[in-house]
Amino acid sequence: TSASGPTGIPIPALTAALPCLCRVVLSDMGLFSSAPDEEQQKACLAALAAAFPDVSERTRKQYAASHKFKPDKASKALGESEKWRAETLPRAPGPDGSDGAAAASLLFTHRGFDHHGRPVFLYYGSSFAPKKWDADAVMLGVVHTLEAGFAAADAKDASNDGCCVIIFLMDGGTKLDMGLAKQFSRLVGAHYPGRAYKALIYPGTPLATRLWAVARLFFSSEIGEKVVLVKQKVEGR
């Protein structure tokens, strides 16, 4: 006979059950979440389709996946983004010479497509940023560049996965770079979930590496988990 624990359950059986028991406890504490099953995914997508019939299926799937197929959270996030889009997109970046126009035409640009038809965007360090810049205006220029790039990708191939590649060309790893990059990351995480396929930081100098190790703590997981520091010149090319 095998030994029993204080509950009378054989110790081997109790030991085998420990992982499941731990998951239950951690889940109740909000520290563990299991992957959503197929029924949960379908239920979440159905709820979003009913609440947002005019939003594309691809977008609904991106928001659902980003919020782990939890209908309430996904619906709230998508609703807030739809409101943000209605308020933000009609606004022009600004006239030539303004911070928004500089951001859309020089600082953050659409550079083409990767082999899978994803738009590739380049954040060009601080070379083109004014010494004193309006963060809201700059981000508005960034948004217009993103929208134009995604629209171009859809026009080129409507079956593309809706994702993009972002290259941060670090200009010495200055504070200006990281400040704008952090704002950009938060914007992508909130209003473009699931659309960042990969973010590359080049060149990955020792200074840039140290700054990124600290700065990534403030980045959304949408960017933070997909960032690659490109250290070698050959790899960068």
Side-chain angles (χ1 to χ4, degrees), residues 18-43:
L18 276 176
C20 292
L21 292 172
C22 289
R23 282 197 294 270
V24 171
V25 173
L26 292 175
S27 180
D28 288 342
M29 295 173 62
L31 300 177
F32 178 89
S33 59
S34 57
D37 57 29
E38 186 176 352
E39 290 303 316
Q40 183 180 344
Q41 294 182 32
K42 289 181 178 179

PDB file of all heavy atoms in Angstrom, residues 18-43:
ATOM      1  N   LEU A  18      -0.785  18.249  -7.762  1.00  0.00           N
ATOM      2  CA  LEU A  18      -0.299  19.556  -7.329  1.00  0.00           C
ATOM      3  C   LEU A  18      -0.261  20.614  -8.429  1.00  0.00           C
ATOM      4  O   LEU A  18      -0.664  21.764  -8.209  1.00  0.00           O
ATOM      5  CB  LEU A  18       1.093  19.407  -6.697  1.00  0.00           C
ATOM      6  CG  LEU A  18       1.108  18.999  -5.216  1.00  0.00           C
ATOM      7  CD1 LEU A  18       2.541  18.798  -4.749  1.00  0.00           C
ATOM      8  CD2 LEU A  18       0.403  20.030  -4.358  1.00  0.00           C
ATOM      9  N   PRO A  19       0.228  20.296  -9.644  1.00  0.00           N
ATOM     10  CA  PRO A  19       0.236  21.326 -10.691  1.00  0.00           C
ATOM     11  C   PRO A  19      -1.146  21.898 -10.964  1.00  0.00           C
ATOM     12  O   PRO A  19      -1.302  23.115 -11.134  1.00  0.00           O
ATOM     13  CB  PRO A  19       0.798  20.585 -11.915  1.00  0.00           C
ATOM     14  CG  PRO A  19       1.616  19.490 -11.330  1.00  0.00           C
ATOM     15  CD  PRO A  19       0.867  19.056 -10.104  1.00  0.00           C
ATOM     16  N   CYS A  20      -2.156  21.036 -11.012  1.00  0.00           N
ATOM     17  CA  CYS A  20      -3.517  21.506 -11.267  1.00  0.00           C
ATOM     18  C   CYS A  20      -4.013  22.372 -10.120  1.00  0.00           C
ATOM     19  O   CYS A  20      -4.647  23.409 -10.335  1.00  0.00           O
ATOM     20  CB  CYS A  20      -4.459  20.317 -11.459  1.00  0.00           C
ATOM     21  SG  CYS A  20      -4.137  19.374 -12.962  1.00  0.00           S
ATOM     22  N   LEU A  21      -3.709  21.939  -8.888  1.00  0.00           N
ATOM     23  CA  LEU A  21      -4.133  22.708  -7.724  1.00  0.00           C
ATOM     24  C   LEU A  21      -3.465  24.078  -7.710  1.00  0.00           C
ATOM     25  O   LEU A  21      -4.097  25.096  -7.402  1.00  0.00           O
ATOM     26  CB  LEU A  21      -3.781  21.948  -6.436  1.00  0.00           C
ATOM     27  CG  LEU A  21      -4.559  20.651  -6.177  1.00  0.00           C
ATOM     28  CD1 LEU A  21      -3.972  19.920  -4.984  1.00  0.00           C
ATOM     29  CD2 LEU A  21      -6.035  20.940  -5.962  1.00  0.00           C
ATOM     30  N   CYS A  22      -2.178  24.108  -8.067  1.00  0.00           N
ATOM     31  CA  CYS A  22      -1.454  25.386  -8.104  1.00  0.00           C
ATOM     32  C   CYS A  22      -2.055  26.320  -9.139  1.00  0.00           C
ATOM     33  O   CYS A  22      -2.208  27.517  -8.913  1.00  0.00           O
ATOM     34  CB  CYS A  22       0.031  25.150  -8.407  1.00  0.00           C
ATOM     35  SG  CYS A  22       0.936  24.401  -7.042  1.00  0.00           S
ATOM     36  N   ARG A  23      -2.421  25.769 -10.306  1.00  0.00           N
ATOM     37  CA  ARG A  23      -3.015  26.607 -11.347  1.00  0.00           C
ATOM     38  C   ARG A  23      -4.332  27.204 -10.877  1.00  0.00           C
ATOM     39  O   ARG A  23      -4.639  28.356 -11.165  1.00  0.00           O
ATOM     40  CB  ARG A  23      -3.208  25.791 -12.627  1.00  0.00           C
ATOM     41  CG  ARG A  23      -1.928  25.587 -13.424  1.00  0.00           C
ATOM     42  CD  ARG A  23      -2.231  25.155 -14.863  1.00  0.00           C
ATOM     43  NE  ARG A  23      -2.850  23.836 -14.902  1.00  0.00           N
ATOM     44  CZ  ARG A  23      -2.148  22.712 -14.990  1.00  0.00           C
ATOM     45  NH1 ARG A  23      -0.826  22.736 -15.002  1.00  0.00           N
ATOM     46  NH2 ARG A  23      -2.762  21.541 -15.055  1.00  0.00           N
ATOM     47  N   VAL A  24      -5.132  26.415 -10.171  1.00  0.00           N
ATOM     48  CA  VAL A  24      -6.417  26.911  -9.677  1.00  0.00           C
ATOM     49  C   VAL A  24      -6.203  28.060  -8.704  1.00  0.00           C
ATOM     50  O   VAL A  24      -6.854  29.104  -8.781  1.00  0.00           O
ATOM     51  CB  VAL A  24      -7.210  25.771  -8.992  1.00  0.00           C
ATOM     52  CG1 VAL A  24      -8.434  26.334  -8.279  1.00  0.00           C
ATOM     53  CG2 VAL A  24      -7.624  24.741 -10.028  1.00  0.00           C
ATOM     54  N   VAL A  25      -5.257  27.872  -7.759  1.00  0.00           N
ATOM     55  CA  VAL A  25      -4.985  28.912  -6.765  1.00  0.00           C
ATOM     56  C   VAL A  25      -4.453  30.178  -7.427  1.00  0.00           C
ATOM     57  O   VAL A  25      -4.903  31.299  -7.153  1.00  0.00           O
ATOM     58  CB  VAL A  25      -3.974  28.394  -5.709  1.00  0.00           C
ATOM     59  CG1 VAL A  25      -3.561  29.530  -4.780  1.00  0.00           C
ATOM     60  CG2 VAL A  25      -4.601  27.259  -4.912  1.00  0.00           C
ATOM     61  N   LEU A  26      -3.462  30.011  -8.324  1.00  0.00           N
ATOM     62  CA  LEU A  26      -2.875  31.170  -8.995  1.00  0.00           C
ATOM     63  C   LEU A  26      -3.889  31.869  -9.876  1.00  0.00           C
ATOM     64  O   LEU A  26      -3.893  33.095  -9.991  1.00  0.00           O
ATOM     65  CB  LEU A  26      -1.660  30.737  -9.829  1.00  0.00           C
ATOM     66  CG  LEU A  26      -0.447  30.258  -9.024  1.00  0.00           C
ATOM     67  CD1 LEU A  26       0.630  29.740  -9.972  1.00  0.00           C
ATOM     68  CD2 LEU A  26       0.099  31.360  -8.154  1.00  0.00           C
ATOM     69  N   SER A  27      -4.774  31.111 -10.509  1.00  0.00           N
ATOM     70  CA  SER A  27      -5.809  31.711 -11.337  1.00  0.00           C
ATOM     71  C   SER A  27      -6.750  32.557 -10.494  1.00  0.00           C
ATOM     72  O   SER A  27      -7.140  33.660 -10.874  1.00  0.00           O
ATOM     73  CB  SER A  27      -6.596  30.620 -12.073  1.00  0.00           C
ATOM     74  OG  SER A  27      -7.602  31.190 -12.876  1.00  0.00           O
ATOM     75  N   ASP A  28      -7.112  32.039  -9.303  1.00  0.00           N
ATOM     76  CA  ASP A  28      -7.983  32.798  -8.407  1.00  0.00           C
ATOM     77  C   ASP A  28      -7.309  34.079  -7.942  1.00  0.00           C
ATOM     78  O   ASP A  28      -7.964  35.089  -7.673  1.00  0.00           O
ATOM     79  CB  ASP A  28      -8.350  31.948  -7.183  1.00  0.00           C
ATOM     80  CG  ASP A  28      -9.316  30.828  -7.539  1.00  0.00           C
ATOM     81  OD1 ASP A  28      -9.944  30.928  -8.611  1.00  0.00           O
ATOM     82  OD2 ASP A  28      -9.436  29.867  -6.752  1.00  0.00           O
ATOM     83  N   MET A  29      -5.983  34.052  -7.865  1.00  0.00           N
ATOM     84  CA  MET A  29      -5.232  35.237  -7.440  1.00  0.00           C
ATOM     85  C   MET A  29      -4.963  36.179  -8.606  1.00  0.00           C
ATOM     86  O   MET A  29      -4.400  37.261  -8.427  1.00  0.00           O
ATOM     87  CB  MET A  29      -3.899  34.808  -6.824  1.00  0.00           C
ATOM     88  CG  MET A  29      -4.027  34.014  -5.538  1.00  0.00           C
ATOM     89  SD  MET A  29      -2.435  33.365  -4.980  1.00  0.00           S
ATOM     90  CE  MET A  29      -1.526  34.885  -4.694  1.00  0.00           C
ATOM     91  N   GLY A  30      -5.329  35.766  -9.820  1.00  0.00           N
ATOM     92  CA  GLY A  30      -5.064  36.580 -10.998  1.00  0.00           C
ATOM     93  C   GLY A  30      -3.649  36.503 -11.487  1.00  0.00           C
ATOM     94  O   GLY A  30      -3.192  37.337 -12.259  1.00  0.00           O
ATOM     95  N   LEU A  31      -2.898  35.478 -11.012  1.00  0.00           N
ATOM     96  CA  LEU A  31      -1.486  35.354 -11.381  1.00  0.00           C
ATOM     97  C   LEU A  31      -1.241  34.295 -12.439  1.00  0.00           C
ATOM     98  O   LEU A  31      -0.130  34.103 -12.879  1.00  0.00           O
ATOM     99  CB  LEU A  31      -0.663  35.009 -10.130  1.00  0.00           C
ATOM    100  CG  LEU A  31      -0.727  36.041  -8.996  1.00  0.00           C
ATOM    101  CD1 LEU A  31       0.063  35.542  -7.796  1.00  0.00           C
ATOM    102  CD2 LEU A  31      -0.199  37.381  -9.464  1.00  0.00           C
ATOM    103  N   PHE A  32      -2.254  33.598 -12.840  1.00  0.00           N
ATOM    104  CA  PHE A  32      -2.097  32.573 -13.868  1.00  0.00           C
ATOM    105  C   PHE A  32      -3.340  32.581 -14.741  1.00  0.00           C
ATOM    106  O   PHE A  32      -4.461  32.652 -14.255  1.00  0.00           O
ATOM    107  CB  PHE A  32      -1.940  31.189 -13.235  1.00  0.00           C
ATOM    108  CG  PHE A  32      -1.826  30.068 -14.245  1.00  0.00           C
ATOM    109  CD1 PHE A  32      -0.591  29.706 -14.731  1.00  0.00           C
ATOM    110  CD2 PHE A  32      -2.960  29.412 -14.695  1.00  0.00           C
ATOM    111  CE1 PHE A  32      -0.481  28.684 -15.670  1.00  0.00           C
ATOM    112  CE2 PHE A  32      -2.851  28.394 -15.634  1.00  0.00           C
ATOM    113  CZ  PHE A  32      -1.610  28.026 -16.118  1.00  0.00           C
ATOM    114  N   SER A  33      -3.142  32.531 -16.037  1.00  0.00           N
ATOM    115  CA  SER A  33      -4.293  32.475 -16.939  1.00  0.00           C
ATOM    116  C   SER A  33      -4.031  31.406 -17.986  1.00  0.00           C
ATOM    117  O   SER A  33      -2.983  31.391 -18.619  1.00  0.00           O
ATOM    118  CB  SER A  33      -4.525  33.831 -17.632  1.00  0.00           C
ATOM    119  OG  SER A  33      -3.403  34.220 -18.368  1.00  0.00           O
ATOM    120  N   SER A  34      -4.949  30.495 -18.129  1.00  0.00           N
ATOM    121  CA  SER A  34      -4.790  29.435 -19.115  1.00  0.00           C
ATOM    122  C   SER A  34      -5.168  29.956 -20.490  1.00  0.00           C
ATOM    123  O   SER A  34      -5.880  30.948 -20.623  1.00  0.00           O
ATOM    124  CB  SER A  34      -5.681  28.242 -18.743  1.00  0.00           C
ATOM    125  OG  SER A  34      -7.030  28.649 -18.650  1.00  0.00           O
ATOM    126  N   ALA A  35      -4.666  29.294 -21.517  1.00  0.00           N
ATOM    127  CA  ALA A  35      -4.978  29.700 -22.883  1.00  0.00           C
ATOM    128  C   ALA A  35      -6.477  29.513 -23.138  1.00  0.00           C
ATOM    129  O   ALA A  35      -7.066  28.517 -22.709  1.00  0.00           O
ATOM    130  CB  ALA A  35      -4.172  28.862 -23.858  1.00  0.00           C
ATOM    131  N   PRO A  36      -7.101  30.481 -23.807  1.00  0.00           N
ATOM    132  CA  PRO A  36      -8.531  30.355 -24.077  1.00  0.00           C
ATOM    133  C   PRO A  36      -8.809  29.182 -25.009  1.00  0.00           C
ATOM    134  O   PRO A  36      -8.068  28.949 -25.966  1.00  0.00           O
ATOM    135  CB  PRO A  36      -8.880  31.690 -24.734  1.00  0.00           C
ATOM    136  CG  PRO A  36      -7.589  32.182 -25.316  1.00  0.00           C
ATOM    137  CD  PRO A  36      -6.534  31.709 -24.362  1.00  0.00           C
ATOM    138  N   ASP A  37      -9.871  28.436 -24.720  1.00  0.00           N
ATOM    139  CA  ASP A  37     -10.203  27.310 -25.580  1.00  0.00           C
ATOM    140  C   ASP A  37     -10.976  27.811 -26.806  1.00  0.00           C
ATOM    141  O   ASP A  37     -11.309  29.001 -26.922  1.00  0.00           O
ATOM    142  CB  ASP A  37     -11.001  26.252 -24.828  1.00  0.00           C
ATOM    143  CG  ASP A  37     -12.292  26.807 -24.222  1.00  0.00           C
ATOM    144  OD1 ASP A  37     -12.854  27.774 -24.779  1.00  0.00           O
ATOM    145  OD2 ASP A  37     -12.735  26.278 -23.185  1.00  0.00           O
ATOM    146  N   GLU A  38     -11.268  26.906 -27.710  1.00  0.00           N
ATOM    147  CA  GLU A  38     -11.910  27.281 -28.972  1.00  0.00           C
ATOM    148  C   GLU A  38     -13.282  27.908 -28.754  1.00  0.00           C
ATOM    149  O   GLU A  38     -13.648  28.871 -29.428  1.00  0.00           O
ATOM    150  CB  GLU A  38     -12.028  26.049 -29.868  1.00  0.00           C
ATOM    151  CG  GLU A  38     -12.556  26.369 -31.264  1.00  0.00           C
ATOM    152  CD  GLU A  38     -12.570  25.154 -32.169  1.00  0.00           C
ATOM    153  OE1 GLU A  38     -12.037  24.103 -31.755  1.00  0.00           O
ATOM    154  OE2 GLU A  38     -13.110  25.266 -33.288  1.00  0.00           O
ATOM    155  N   GLU A  39     -14.038  27.378 -27.793  1.00  0.00           N
ATOM    156  CA  GLU A  39     -15.369  27.916 -27.521  1.00  0.00           C
ATOM    157  C   GLU A  39     -15.292  29.343 -26.990  1.00  0.00           C
ATOM    158  O   GLU A  39     -16.094  30.193 -27.355  1.00  0.00           O
ATOM    159  CB  GLU A  39     -16.105  27.014 -26.525  1.00  0.00           C
ATOM    160  CG  GLU A  39     -16.512  25.666 -27.093  1.00  0.00           C
ATOM    161  CD  GLU A  39     -17.396  25.813 -28.335  1.00  0.00           C
ATOM    162  OE1 GLU A  39     -18.308  26.661 -28.314  1.00  0.00           O
ATOM    163  OE2 GLU A  39     -17.162  25.089 -29.318  1.00  0.00           O
ATOM    164  N   GLN A  40     -14.300  29.602 -26.133  1.00  0.00           N
ATOM    165  CA  GLN A  40     -14.123  30.950 -25.598  1.00  0.00           C
ATOM    166  C   GLN A  40     -13.743  31.925 -26.712  1.00  0.00           C
ATOM    167  O   GLN A  40     -14.225  33.059 -26.743  1.00  0.00           O
ATOM    168  CB  GLN A  40     -13.045  30.945 -24.512  1.00  0.00           C
ATOM    169  CG  GLN A  40     -12.840  32.316 -23.852  1.00  0.00           C
ATOM    170  CD  GLN A  40     -11.764  32.285 -22.784  1.00  0.00           C
ATOM    171  OE1 GLN A  40     -11.366  31.213 -22.322  1.00  0.00           O
ATOM    172  NE2 GLN A  40     -11.289  33.444 -22.384  1.00  0.00           N
ATOM    173  N   GLN A  41     -12.891  31.470 -27.621  1.00  0.00           N
ATOM    174  CA  GLN A  41     -12.505  32.330 -28.735  1.00  0.00           C
ATOM    175  C   GLN A  41     -13.709  32.661 -29.612  1.00  0.00           C
ATOM    176  O   GLN A  41     -13.922  33.821 -29.996  1.00  0.00           O
ATOM    177  CB  GLN A  41     -11.420  31.634 -29.556  1.00  0.00           C
ATOM    178  CG  GLN A  41     -10.099  31.450 -28.822  1.00  0.00           C
ATOM    179  CD  GLN A  41      -9.038  30.814 -29.684  1.00  0.00           C
ATOM    180  OE1 GLN A  41      -9.006  31.021 -30.895  1.00  0.00           O
ATOM    181  NE2 GLN A  41      -8.152  30.029 -29.092  1.00  0.00           N
ATOM    182  N   LYS A  42     -14.500  31.650 -29.927  1.00  0.00           N
ATOM    183  CA  LYS A  42     -15.683  31.865 -30.761  1.00  0.00           C
ATOM    184  C   LYS A  42     -16.671  32.808 -30.086  1.00  0.00           C
ATOM    185  O   LYS A  42     -17.261  33.683 -30.735  1.00  0.00           O
ATOM    186  CB  LYS A  42     -16.358  30.529 -31.068  1.00  0.00           C
ATOM    187  CG  LYS A  42     -15.586  29.639 -32.033  1.00  0.00           C
ATOM    188  CD  LYS A  42     -16.349  28.348 -32.300  1.00  0.00           C
ATOM    189  CE  LYS A  42     -15.616  27.464 -33.291  1.00  0.00           C
ATOM    190  NZ  LYS A  42     -16.343  26.195 -33.538  1.00  0.00           N
ATOM    191  N   ALA A  43     -16.855  32.635 -28.773  1.00  0.00           N
ATOM    192  CA  ALA A  43     -17.800  33.469 -28.038  1.00  0.00           C
ATOM    193  C   ALA A  43     -17.357  34.928 -28.044  1.00  0.00           C
ATOM    194  O   ALA A  43     -18.167  35.843 -28.228  1.00  0.00           O
ATOM    195  CB  ALA A  43     -17.943  32.962 -26.604  1.00  0.00           C
TER     196      ALA A  43
END
